[in-house]
Amino acid sequence: MGRVWKFGENLNTDEIIPARFNITIDERELAAKAFCEIRPDFAQQVQPGDVIVAGGNFGCGSSREHAAVAIRGTGVKCIIAPSFARIFFRNAINIGLPILECPQATEIEEGDEVEVDLSRGEIHNLTQGKVYHTNALPDFVLKIVHAGGLVRFLREHDIEELMA
């Protein structure tokens, strides 16, 4: 269960983490500057387990994975939006940051308490008493997320096991 931080549509990677901070890949350093130009209070107030809800085309812009890394570093549990830029979607999964595409995401409000079931594709808005259904993350994606990202997943499994 987490509190919702709401963002608008077409949020680009430079708004998530300005390029001038992309001199490191340390997620704690990046997290400290997450959304610093559009939500200066975000990095200081976000709590582990909180959830980002946004409009469509979240994560558009550059292909750098720094944006997804910065968000993961804040402790955000999940990002929910009607759609994601494809490269952001891939970067998020590759680093183990779960994201769900949900057309009704815009109905969820800032500060709502939500509970997300990634394996069932369910978003329970405890504040509004609503449940939203979306496509669950496939099992192999859930394994990557639970491992903490693709590299960690591959370190835990040998190639013969994966090819079977």
Side-chain angles (χ1 to χ4, degrees):
M1 184 170 63
R3 178 178 60 142
V4 168
W5 291 82
K6 185 105 180 238
F7 293 89
E9 294 195 13
N10 301 309
L11 190 74
N12 70 58
T13 53
D14 284 325
E15 291 170 313
I16 297 169
I17 183 74
R20 69 183 179 276
F21 298 116
N22 293 340
I23 56 175
T24 181
I25 58 168
D26 182 273
E27 71 179 31
R28 291 184 197 274
E29 287 182 44
L30 292 169
K33 301 297 182 187
F35 303 103
C36 66
E37 293 181 353
I38 61 170
R39 295 282 296 266
D41 60 332
F42 180 82
Q44 291 74 35
Q45 294 182 6
V46 67
Q47 298 294 311
D50 283 354
V51 174
I52 290 175
V53 174
N57 199 29
F58 185 91
C60 58
S62 76
S63 61
R64 296 181 304 260
E65 69 181 15
H66 292 76
V69 172
I71 292 171
R72 183 180 71 181
T74 68
V76 163
K77 175 183 179 177
C78 181
I79 305 171
I80 303 166
S83 63
F84 292 87
R86 293 290 99 193
I87 192 68
F88 183 87
F89 187 96
R90 185 173 184 121
N91 285 339
I93 296 302
N94 283 347
I95 66 156
L97 176 64
I99 56 180
L100 286 176
E101 290 183 324
C102 178
Q104 300 86 12
T106 55
E107 295 177 19
I108 302 170
E109 298 295 332
E110 173 88 16
D112 283 357
E113 292 286 331
V114 296
E115 193 170 75
V116 179
D117 185 330
L118 298 171
S119 63
R120 296 180 66 178
E122 292 181 353
I123 303 158
H124 297 260
N125 187 325
L126 305 175
T127 304
Q128 295 183 29
K130 295 182 180 179
V131 178
Y132 302 101
H133 299 276
T134 189
N135 292 330
L137 294 179
D139 285 341
F140 76 95
V141 172
L142 284 172
K143 289 177 183 176
I144 292 169
V145 167
H146 292 307
L150 185 58
V151 171
R152 291 178 186 161
F153 174 79
L154 292 173
R155 284 183 185 146
E156 293 173 5
H157 299 82
D158 76 29
I159 194 69
E160 286 79 24
E161 174 187 348
L162 297 173
M163 299 304 284

